Amino acid sequence: MTYVRPTFRHPDLPKNKINFTKKDYEGALSTLCAGCGHDSISGAIAQACFELSVEPHRIAKLSGIGCSSKTPAYFLGNSHGFNSVHGRMPSVATGAYLANRDLVYFGVSGDGDSASIGMGQFVHAIRRNLNMVYVVMNNGCYGLTKGQDSATADNGSKSKAGSTNLFNAIDLVGLGLELGATFVARSFSGDKTQLIPLIKAAISHPGFALIDVISPCVTFNNNVGSTKSYDYVREHIEATSTVDFVPVMEEITASYDDAKEVTLHDGSALHLQKLHQGWNPEDKLSAMNAIQTSKEKGEILTGLIYIEPNTNALHDVLQTTKTPLNTLKEDLLCPGIDALEALNQSLR
Amino acid sequence: MEPTNVHDPEYYHKVVDCQYACPAHTPVPEYIRLIAAEKYTEAYMVNWESNVFPGVLGRTCDRPCEPACRRGRVDEEPVAICRLKRVAADNKGDITHLLPKIPTKGNGKRIALIGAGPASLTVARDLAPLGYEIHVFDEQIKGGGMMRSQIPSFRLPESVLDEEVNNILNLGIHQHFKTYVSSLKSVINDGYDAVFIGTGAPRGRDLTNLPGRAEGGANIHVGIEWLASVAFEHTKSIGKKVIVLGGGNTAMDCCRTSRRLGGEDVKVVVRSPYSEMKASPWEKEDAQHEDIPILDNHVPVSFVSENGKLKGMTFEKVHAVYDEKGKRSLVPTGEPHVFIEADDVLVAIGQENYFPWIERDLGIEFDKWDMPKVDSTTFQSTNPKVFFGGDAALGPKNVITAVAQGHSAAVSIDLYCQGKPLDVRPDPMTNLVSQKMGIHEWSYDSIVANDDRYVVPQAEKKVTLIDRKKEVELGFDKNVGFKEAQRCLNCDVQTVFTENRCIECDACMDICPTDCITFTVNGTEEDLRTRLKAPSLHLDQSLLVSNTLAATGRVMVKDEDVCLHCGLCAERCPTSAWDMQKFFYNTTKAHHGCGSHA
């Protein structure tokens, strides 16, 4: 057994604003298959958190069951984590978010966990607009049980054993748009230059941010005829635009004709270039249109699909206190008999 | 950048920093692995093949490999390569059956070697097995040259030296000891097919013109002559108070030898600042450990004698000043001169070549410094029959350099004697073999040990200072030797990349603990180095650049600088586009690959 990660790192690793190196955002060594797209997404999440200088102890990783849901063990080893029941991550996320609104929440799920067993939970997390990043590591198959077609497998896609999928796929991006998600993006595990800025923008977004990441299963779904293989995705990928995340206080230096800037709620910005024709990320109709048109053409549309920068997340809707509920002490929660009397009086 | 040509043997050779830095290109990781496997004899023979004197060099080498060691770039200290060599030498079994066989029928060529130091003995070792009749001449009673006359026994036991010198002399070498060659012409006239001159740099510099030199003469000695006189047991004592002038390794040997011959108050006095002394850091430490202070920034002014007896020396205090080009000058501080008492003074301020015995009408051209003109690749002089090597060739360096030059000269002599052109050098022998044995299994120990460098134990001072021949360093025992060997990163197990297998899943890039691997669009080297995943600060370290990758049009760029050779890239590669392959590089030597002997 020689699968041990050395403790040495590059001696000149850059440090972020809070004096951490990338090593501080690493997790345990992955036990997924070699070449799994999920590992690449894990790397992108760690890199995005490093670049945004998020303190690891301010992040909570929540997941269900599956290859995807194992990954939180392999990144952000210094952060909070909750590996919950299959498909039930949104419930745990809702509870955690209600208890402490101050953390950055990463929901990590897969196509089985979100589009099959957890569908009933997934849709309500969107509807309630939890302030979280919801990453779906989407490989179109049940990798952990040897590669059966999942609910996101495309109609006509061929499995490794040669059978063709006869059912229509659930498109999580289309579903997210329909249910009113305020940040919707699709990406590809093999394209970190797109994925990392999207994750950073999703962290900055104050509501539910869905990123559907196509993540090839090298062991069971990387064969010829599969529509989720590295080769197929690379041949059919289209992007709504290139994405640059510009943090708060940093000026945008370059400007192009065919470009658009979206200012996020916290003052940071997304700088988009080479825009898809007729697409405006802040116009849901054009986003839906772009998704449908691409689908007709057999393209896989990636990048930012839709954003509603100023959104009211669950705590704003419920008008709860700005103080995280889990820090409220007894004196505030039980203000005493006089306060109760006053309240009762006001209701008479 | 153009895709890296990994078929050029020098590419992977350069990745093995230690081997590349070694003048003789000893396959260091190969022998370190053998030590870890307790195959000491095999480890010794890998060394013997390359550097001829593993036992000697395992104690005394200048170790250019260690500053080059990759471990030193990721850890506090490099692998103790030199002292591991000694572990192999100390623990080896009988090697007689592994030594080359001498053909019963010679090839009819006679070669004269003048001087029996490391360079000449290397030539002898390389040529004797090919059937050459080798005659070696030396003025001393035994072979070894400066290894015997200048390296004290407390650093290099005579038995170790004798063994390794005799291993060569027993290859049927015709020995002419106690024979001072006073005329090269007469040697050439004896009809040798070629003559190799490995006479070293036998003359120590003196301070002939310093005031008081003549009057104090009886107690002022030239360092290397004095060391030789001690080695051959002509000198057995020295005064209680000793000044050693000079800051090189000879000065360190002089002061430490003085401590063993009766010197109680021994000081090293050197002109330059301490940090710029030529002595190896460990030799300075060893001297200081033996209670020998090193006074830097002291320039000799005069020898002081009273009634014809040396009393001491005066020095002027200086400090170093550097101009914009970094050139140093020593400027007096203006403080009063310092007087230091001494019964004896040893002058160890350098040594030089000395060729009064080479007639100037033999077709050997000399330059303005009175040094023979020698080709730095072939080591041939302007007389095609005469070759130089070691300190005699290009000025004083060290044993391992002399060995390397001996190998090159032997190749040249062999080519010359066969009437072949000397500038067409035979290729080195290389080999590249996959180390994959299965999932998570490699045939080398890929796990990177975290241990700090182990310290070599020393014998106690009270024992070593009373016995000149008692070896100070005890060497690593087998257990510590194993642990130190495990610190080696196996840099010769190369990360070999096959682009047409790569599916660009990023697994290697994500897993690499030292961020060596980047997939990006191609550019110039200067541009690429700014776009790598981690800073690329060591420009002398190569970039491994792939062909353009089919799927995205990018290239794979690997900065070799701090690669730990842990194999995780290959471990995580789903298509075996990465593989760990052991690269063996055996530098060109006369006994293989030279035309008819191949």
Side-chain angles (χ1 to χ4, degrees):
Chain A
M1 176 77 181
T2 56
Y3 190 44
V4 177
R5 180 161 50 193
T7 55
F8 292 112
R9 293 294 175 272
H10 195 291
D12 306 301
L13 274 189
K15 291 186 169 163
N16 64 11
K17 281 183 197 150
I18 51 174
N19 228 12
F20 285 148
T21 66
K22 245 175 36 207
K23 191 181 186 187
D24 301 300
Y25 295 84
E26 286 175 1
L29 198 54
S30 172
T31 58
L32 298 173
C33 308
C36 180
H38 297 5
D39 283 330
S40 190
I41 302 171
S42 301
I45 293 174
Q47 182 70 21
C49 293
F50 163 76
E51 287 177 15
L52 277 185
S53 299
V54 189
E55 293 155 294
H57 70 270
R58 284 200 50 244
I59 302 171
K61 307 166 292 181
L62 310 153
S63 63
I65 295 294
C67 295
S68 62
S69 298
K70 288 173 75 178
T71 61
Y74 313 137
F75 60 87
L76 296 171
N78 295 318
S79 300
H80 306 282
F82 195 127
N83 192 182
S84 73
V85 187
H86 206 354
R88 271 58 184 169
M89 175 267 282
S91 296
V92 179
T94 309
Y97 170 60
L98 281 172
N100 185 356
R101 62 186 296 172
D102 274 0
L103 296 185
V104 173
Y105 289 99
F106 268 104
V108 180
S109 186
D111 37 328
D113 200 54
S114 283
S116 291
I117 193 169
M119 179 63 99
Q121 300 241 327
F122 170 64
V123 293
H124 291 285
I126 301 179
R127 196 173 66 91
R128 287 175 179 148
N129 201 15
L130 306 181
N131 182 7
M132 71 183 295
V133 183
Y134 195 107
V135 177
V136 181
M137 300 181 173
N138 187 350
N139 58 16
C141 73
Y142 298 140
L144 207 56
T145 53
K146 299 192 179 172
Q148 300 84 350
D149 293 325
S150 80
T152 63
D154 290 311
N155 195 336
S157 180
K158 257 196 187 145
S159 76
K160 189 179 181 181
S163 63
T164 305
N165 178 34
L166 306 173
F167 304 103
N168 286 331
I170 292 175
D171 177 11
L172 295 172
V173 164
L175 189 66
L177 284 172
E178 181 59 40
L179 292 168
T182 52
F183 181 112
V184 180
R186 180 180 284 140
S187 194
F188 170 46
S189 68
D191 186 3
K192 280 211 186 72
T193 46
Q194 181 191 61
L195 183 54
I196 292 170
L198 282 176
I199 295 172
K200 284 154 84 177
I203 295 173
S204 301
H205 180 70
F208 190 86
L210 171 67
I211 310 179
D212 176 25
V213 191
I214 299 169
S215 174
C217 174
V218 275
T219 305
F220 295 111
N221 203 9
N222 196 33
N223 47 290
V224 175
S226 161
T227 59
K228 296 255 187 314
S229 68
Y230 278 105
D231 284 348
Y232 184 89
V233 175
R234 285 211 167 96
E235 277 160 26
H236 295 82
I237 200 162
E238 281 294 319
T240 53
S241 68
T242 63
V243 196
D244 270 322
F245 179 84
V246 187
V248 193
M249 307 297 291
E250 211 167 276
E251 256 183 81
I252 296 170
T253 47
S255 79
Y256 300 88
D257 291 342
D258 185 21
K260 183 172 171 63
E261 190 190 319
V262 181
T263 309
L264 300 178
H265 186 73
D266 64 0
S268 55
L270 275 179
H271 193 212
L272 311 171
Q273 283 175 38
K274 300 182 191 161
L275 301 182
H276 199 75
Q277 217 178 2
W279 171 74
N280 174 0
E282 293 178 85
D283 174 5
K284 194 185 279 189
L285 216 54
S286 78
M288 286 178 145
N289 217 345
I291 285 283
Q292 287 305 328
T293 321
S294 293
K295 204 181 273 179
E296 301 271 298
K297 286 201 259 177
E299 294 167 353
I300 302 166
L301 189 64
T302 62
L304 179 67
I305 309 286
Y306 174 68
I307 184 167
E308 186 185 325
N310 297 305
T311 179
N312 284 327
L314 183 58
H315 274 288
D316 303 315
V317 173
L318 298 177
Q319 295 185 325
T320 54
T321 172
K322 300 276 180 212
T323 317
L325 299 181
N326 66 339
T327 60
L328 297 178
K329 295 283 183 284
E330 195 183 354
D331 56 338
L332 269 175
L333 293 171
C334 284
I337 188 78
D338 294 345
L340 181 64
E341 272 305 309
L343 179 68
N344 282 339
Q345 282 302 324
S346 73
L347 297 172
R348 282 179 206 282
Chain B
M1 287 177 77
E2 290 294 312
T4 305
N5 177 17
V6 293
H7 298 295
D8 177 354
E10 293 309 309
Y11 180 77
Y12 286 136
H13 184 201
K14 187 163 176 279
V15 174
V16 195
D17 292 288
C18 46
Q19 184 177 9
Y20 192 69
C22 175
H25 304 308
T26 305
V28 174
E30 177 73 10
Y31 81 71
I32 289 184
R33 270 192 303 275
L34 289 168
I35 290 169
E38 298 183 20
K39 293 184 172 177
Y40 304 108
T41 307
E42 289 85 343
Y44 182 86
M45 291 312 292
V46 168
N47 271 290
W48 191 79
E49 158 77 17
S50 285
N51 53 51
V52 190
F53 304 101
V56 174
L57 290 164
R59 293 168 165 84
T60 64
C61 190
D62 266 5
R63 11 172 157 159
C65 50
E66 291 190 18
C69 172
R70 170 169 281 115
R71 179 119 194 165
R73 297 200 291 276
V74 291
D75 196 2
E76 299 280 319
E77 287 187 277
V79 177
I81 299 169
C82 180
R83 289 335 186 225
L84 281 173
K85 194 192 308 290
R86 177 177 167 181
V87 172
D90 285 357
N91 295 293
K92 69 176 187 300
D94 181 23
I95 60 159
T96 35
H97 62 292
L98 299 168
L99 297 176
K101 303 282 172 289
I102 302 306
T104 42
K105 193 167 175 295
N107 68 359
K109 306 280 184 186
R110 292 167 71 235
I111 314 289
L113 311 177
I114 304 176
S120 290
L121 291 175
T122 302
V123 176
R125 200 228 32 199
D126 285 359
L127 293 183
L130 304 182
Y132 286 91
E133 182 182 316
I134 309 282
H135 292 261
V136 61
F137 299 86
D138 197 288
E139 59 176 316
Q140 298 294 0
I141 50 169
K142 281 178 167 184
M146 63 74 64
M147 298 186 289
R148 188 177 302 280
S149 65
Q150 291 179 29
I151 300 178
S153 299
F154 57 85
R155 286 214 289 132
L156 172 60
E158 210 177 347
S159 57
V160 174
L161 180 63
D162 284 346
E163 179 191 343
E164 294 192 334
V165 169
N166 290 337
N167 281 341
I168 297 165
L169 294 178
N170 292 343
L171 300 173
I173 309 295
H174 299 259
Q175 301 162 30
H176 307 272
F177 288 116
K178 287 163 70 178
T179 308
Y180 180 75
V181 175
S182 56
S183 159
L184 179 60
K185 189 181 275 179
S186 68
V187 177
I188 292 176
N189 288 344
D190 281 345
Y192 292 101
D193 293 282
V195 179
F196 176 82
I197 295 170
T199 49
R203 198 161 70 155
R205 289 219 195 102
D206 198 351
L207 291 168
T208 327
N209 297 322
L210 202 71
R213 172 68 180 88
E215 197 183 349
N219 295 94
I220 301 169
H221 320 277
V222 171
I224 57 168
E225 290 170 12
W226 182 80
L227 284 174
S229 165
V230 173
F232 295 109
E233 310 206 324
H234 305 307
T235 297
K236 296 198 162 124
S237 68
I238 196 163
K240 284 196 165 57
K241 292 178 185 150
V242 181
I243 293 175
V244 177
L245 300 175
N249 287 336
T250 304
M252 298 305 115
D253 286 339
C254 283
C255 66
R256 295 178 69 195
T257 304
S258 301
R259 286 286 279 131
R260 287 158 173 80
L261 261 57
E264 287 168 9
D265 175 11
V266 180
K267 292 186 178 74
V268 171
V269 187
V270 56
R271 300 167 78 230
S272 65
Y274 181 82
S275 61
E276 290 176 28
M277 288 168 59
K278 285 194 179 138
S280 311
W282 54 91
E283 301 219 5
K284 292 197 278 187
E285 277 167 30
D286 287 346
Q288 287 165 316
H289 175 69
E290 291 174 1
D291 314 312
I292 299 164
I294 297 176
L295 308 178
D296 62 349
N297 296 317
H298 281 62
V299 174
V301 174
S302 62
F303 295 98
V304 179
S305 299
E306 231 172 69
N307 305 324
K309 170 89 178 77
L310 185 75
K311 283 281 153 202
M313 287 186 74
T314 49
F315 296 91
E316 180 175 47
K317 290 186 81 175
V318 294
H319 62 104
V321 178
Y322 305 86
D323 66 14
E324 359 18 298
K325 282 178 193 153
K327 190 170 183 294
R328 186 188 79 186
S329 44
L330 298 173
V331 178
T333 60
E335 291 166 82
H337 288 182
V338 180
F339 175 77
I340 299 172
E341 285 185 80
D343 301 319
D344 284 285
V345 173
L346 299 174
V347 186
I349 55 170
Q351 56 194 93
E352 48 199 30
N353 301 91
Y354 194 51
F355 299 114
W357 54 279
I358 298 182
E359 292 83 353
R360 301 304 150 112
D361 59 352
L362 298 173
I364 301 174
E365 283 179 44
F366 281 74
D367 64 17
K368 59 180 171 180
W369 296 282
D370 206 29
M371 286 287 287
K373 285 189 182 165
V374 176
D375 185 291
S376 60
T377 307
T378 63
F379 293 91
Q380 191 179 36
S381 72
T382 50
N383 178 334
K385 220 179 226 198
V386 179
F387 298 81
F388 285 76
D391 288 356
L394 304 170
K397 289 256 173 50
N398 49 38
V399 175
I400 189 68
T401 304
V403 169
Q405 295 177 353
H407 285 313
S408 293
V411 171
S412 300
I413 292 169
D414 189 28
L415 291 170
Y416 174 76
C417 289
Q418 295 176 64
K420 292 183 180 169
L422 269 56
D423 53 347
V424 184
R425 312 293 286 179
D427 289 329
M429 194 281 269
T430 62
N431 197 8
L432 192 63
V433 182
S434 176
Q435 300 296 289
K436 196 172 180 70
M437 287 171 56
I439 294 173
H440 298 328
E441 265 192 290
W442 301 100
S443 52
Y444 76 107
D445 202 349
S446 64
I447 295 176
V448 176
N450 286 327
D451 304 26
D452 291 335
R453 181 178 169 121
Y454 290 89
V455 177
V456 181
Q458 296 197 340
E460 278 190 70
K461 242 184 345 193
K462 63 179 182 206
V463 181
T464 58
L465 285 183
I466 54 170
D467 180 0
R468 176 176 73 81
K469 294 189 172 178
K470 172 80 189 163
E471 191 172 16
V472 173
E473 282 198 2
L474 302 173
F476 290 135
D477 63 26
K478 287 182 181 178
N479 279 335
V480 180
F482 170 76
K483 287 194 250 175
E484 184 63 36
Q486 289 297 88
R487 295 182 72 237
C488 175
L489 296 175
N490 299 292
C491 297
D492 61 340
V493 181
Q494 305 282 349
T495 55
V496 177
F497 185 68
T498 312
E499 42 273 87
N500 57 15
R501 288 193 183 145
C502 177
I503 58 168
E504 297 183 66
C505 65
D506 286 359
C508 52
M509 188 166 88
D510 289 327
I511 199 75
C512 178
T514 44
D515 293 301
C516 302
I517 302 168
T518 307
F519 287 81
T520 187
V521 289
N522 208 342
T524 61
E525 178 172 352
E526 199 184 9
D527 166 46
L528 273 180
R529 282 191 188 269
T530 65
R531 293 192 278 116
L532 300 184
K533 230 180 135 206
S536 176
L537 304 178
H538 296 124
L539 303 184
D540 54 326
Q541 288 287 321
S542 311
L543 297 182
L544 173 67
V545 182
S546 75
N547 266 305
T548 306
L549 297 164
T552 63
R554 299 181 297 176
V555 287
M556 188 291 302
V557 186
K558 182 195 166 214
D559 188 350
E560 299 282 6
D561 185 16
V562 289
C563 170
L564 301 171
H565 296 256
C566 63
L568 284 185
C569 50
E571 192 91 64
R572 293 306 285 165
C573 182
T575 60
S576 295
W578 285 108
D579 191 22
M580 304 306 291
Q581 299 187 4
K582 188 170 91 176
F583 177 70
F584 188 76
Y585 179 101
N586 195 349
T587 198
T588 306
K589 296 190 193 74
H591 55 281
H592 64 72
C594 269
S596 60
H597 308 295

